[in-house]
Amino acid sequence: MRRSQRGFTLVELVVTITLTTIVISFMAMFVAGPVRAYNDQTRRAELVDVAENSLRRIARDIRAALPNSVRVASTGGAVALEMLNTVDGVRYRDRPPGNPTKRLRFSGPDNAFNSVGQFSGITRPFSSTTHYLSIYNVGVPGANAYELANVITPPGTRIDIDADSIADEDNIRMTPAYQFAFASPGQRVYLVDQPVSYICDTSTGTLARYAGYSIAAVHADRDSGGELLGAGASATLVADNIASCSVIYTPGTAQRSGLVTLAMSVAEAGETVSLLHQVHVDNVP
């Protein structure tokens, strides 16, 4: 009876624990590698996703920018990219055929004209005192939309857009009447709603988008988060863990489009991912 109820001896228990520990250690060695590799791969994928989405969002705004309105400034560890966002654009009527009253005059203030084709980015009837109309912005003194003169309607101008009785044309009205300084060779008129800025600050490791603020002629007055917030901007955090960023803008010429080169590095837990995007800018006003 005693012989059938015998259990483990202390030596057997110690040997069993030792062997079990050795087996588990070997198993952990084989499992830890793939788990670590999986975690590293997941982290890299997340970093790539953050950088890719950030650059694509910037590119989307650049493509919607008013021609010749992209400007870049660097201050310390921050890079500021600003542009004027367009809601839509059409061609204005300024020559025959058609009713002369439907054409845009450049010889004096005009309060109404027709478009050749219709706006597609708005709902008609459209009325706003916070939007702008811009014609022939070339980004030089005297023809710079940021100056809010000559090539863009003044702040507070009421803009009304309705479908005209002529098929496939809109009637555009400005109150008060306004005289654009220059005609566009391509008869292009753009509807602008607001400026948009991106501030990439490596000191805080953040990329933020700012919108809804007032336009300033000098970029130095709008190239930091504090200045933008002081001008009434609302900020949206686009990405964090930013290790480095660079924005290079080449305006282009009459023969080729402008080019914005965006480079960004995102880092976390010793991993760094760097991406580069290039965005063509149609600067034909």
Side-chain angles (χ1 to χ4, degrees):
M1 197 65 180
R2 289 182 190 142
R3 194 175 293 121
S4 63
Q5 293 180 349
R6 286 186 60 192
F8 292 108
T9 66
L10 180 61
V11 173
E12 292 172 330
L13 184 61
V14 170
V15 170
T16 301
I17 293 173
T18 303
L19 292 175
T20 303
T21 303
I22 294 173
V23 171
I24 293 175
S25 299
F26 274 104
M27 290 178 62
M29 290 175 57
F30 287 108
V31 173
V35 171
R36 185 167 53 249
Y38 172 79
N39 291 334
D40 291 344
Q41 185 177 7
T42 300
R43 184 168 53 252
R44 292 188 197 105
E46 290 174 349
L47 293 176
V48 170
D49 188 56
V50 168
E52 180 75 14
N53 287 339
S54 300
L55 294 178
R56 286 186 180 277
R57 184 168 185 179
I58 297 173
R60 184 170 63 246
D61 279 334
I62 290 174
R63 292 189 182 99
L66 179 70
N68 301 298
S69 70
V70 174
R71 56 186 186 179
V72 179
S74 298
T75 55
V79 178
L81 169 66
E82 187 177 33
M83 65 211 78
L84 296 177
N85 184 65
T86 62
V87 176
D88 206 346
V90 292
R91 296 181 185 272
Y92 60 83
R93 183 177 292 284
D94 74 337
R95 58 178 69 111
N99 187 336
T101 62
K102 304 288 188 178
R103 303 173 197 158
L104 176 60
R105 293 184 296 112
F106 292 89
S107 57
D110 200 350
N111 65 353
F113 62 94
N114 268 24
S115 65
V116 180
Q118 293 183 298
F119 287 97
S120 59
I122 60 172
T123 301
R124 288 171 295 274
F126 174 87
S127 183
S128 173
T129 57
T130 59
H131 287 64
Y132 307 84
L133 291 174
S134 179
I135 296 177
Y136 203 62
N137 175 54
V138 292
V140 299
N144 188 340
Y146 286 104
E147 298 172 351
L148 295 174
N150 297 328
V151 296
I152 192 170
T153 51
T157 300
R158 177 174 170 176
I159 299 169
D160 293 286
I161 303 173
D162 292 287
D164 195 75
S165 57
I166 301 175
D168 199 34
E169 292 192 11
D170 281 337
N171 182 250
I172 305 162
R173 300 180 300 282
M174 299 174 289
T175 308
Y178 183 69
Q179 180 181 357
F180 289 98
F182 312 103
S184 165
Q187 299 172 253
R188 294 179 175 90
V189 56
Y190 295 91
L191 182 64
V192 178
D193 63 348
Q194 63 178 344
V196 172
S197 282
Y198 285 89
I199 304 293
C200 185
D201 192 344
T202 55
S203 64
T204 60
T206 58
L207 172 68
R209 183 183 188 271
Y210 296 82
Y213 59 92
S214 57
I215 297 174
V218 181
H219 194 195
D221 296 334
R222 296 288 186 271
D223 62 354
S224 70
E227 291 170 341
L228 290 164
L229 293 174
S234 59
T236 302
L237 180 65
V238 178
D240 54 11
N241 296 320
I242 304 296
S244 67
C245 54
S246 170
V247 180
I248 301 173
Y249 173 51
T250 305
T253 65
Q255 289 76 34
R256 60 179 174 82
S257 300
L259 184 68
V260 177
T261 301
L262 307 166
M264 179 181 296
S265 295
V266 185
E268 184 181 8
E271 296 278 0
T272 301
V273 170
S274 299
L275 294 183
L276 183 143
H277 277 205
Q278 290 186 312
V279 186
H280 286 280
V281 185
D282 184 6
N283 278 333
V284 180

